[in-house]
Amino acid sequence: MGIEDYGGGQGPQPDVLVVTTNDIPGFRVEQVIGEVFGLTVRSRHLGSQIGAGLKSLVGGELKGLTKTLVETRNQAMERLVDQARARGANAVLAFRFDVSEAADVGTEVCAYGTAVVLARE
């Protein structure tokens, strides 16, 4: 697996900018639309679980689970962006992830933030 398999985020010119900060230099918030989120729940692949169990005996990274989590976070972020776009936002401020177990059958990943309309200063 190459480095591209372990990353996420947006491309170079997104139509909805997503940042972890509360503001963006050179822009002002014209309108606060409100909270937006993207949610997904993924079950673990049986092969990954078996491989993870074996790997835990000797130590090291659980690459199958890492790749699954990256894909899951990217899907949650895509859903967040889709929701922000549908509500008329061109940015999401204070972006965060929340990850938890979902009823012992999978992992729940929620991407959330505040949808806003930005304008250049």
Side-chain angles (χ1 to χ4, degrees):
M1 289 178 14
I3 190 67
E4 65 277 356
D5 293 325
Y6 293 104
Q10 299 181 288
Q13 303 239 339
D15 64 324
V16 176
L17 182 62
V18 178
V19 297
T20 59
T21 57
N22 293 327
D23 53 20
I24 301 173
F27 290 86
R28 70 179 183 286
V29 175
E30 283 194 337
Q31 179 186 2
V32 174
I33 294 173
E35 180 190 9
V36 288
F37 66 90
L39 180 68
T40 186
V41 178
R42 293 257 180 119
S43 63
R44 291 181 201 93
H45 182 277
L46 180 60
S48 295
Q49 285 182 302
I50 292 170
L54 295 173
K55 186 71 169 186
S56 69
L57 296 175
V58 295
E61 181 181 10
L62 306 174
K63 291 183 180 184
L65 293 178
T66 299
K67 187 174 180 184
T68 298
L69 184 55
V70 167
E71 291 168 354
T72 304
R73 283 180 175 228
N74 287 342
Q75 183 179 50
M77 186 172 177
E78 288 171 13
R79 290 178 177 176
L80 165 115
V81 168
D82 289 345
Q83 188 182 76
R85 185 183 298 115
R87 294 179 62 191
N90 64 359
V92 175
L93 303 179
F95 170 73
R96 303 287 187 269
F97 281 113
D98 184 50
V99 180
S100 60
E101 289 297 312
D104 294 330
V105 295
T107 301
E108 171 191 349
V109 175
C110 182
Y112 64 95
T114 303
V116 299
V117 175
L118 294 178
R120 288 200 179 272
E121 291 184 328

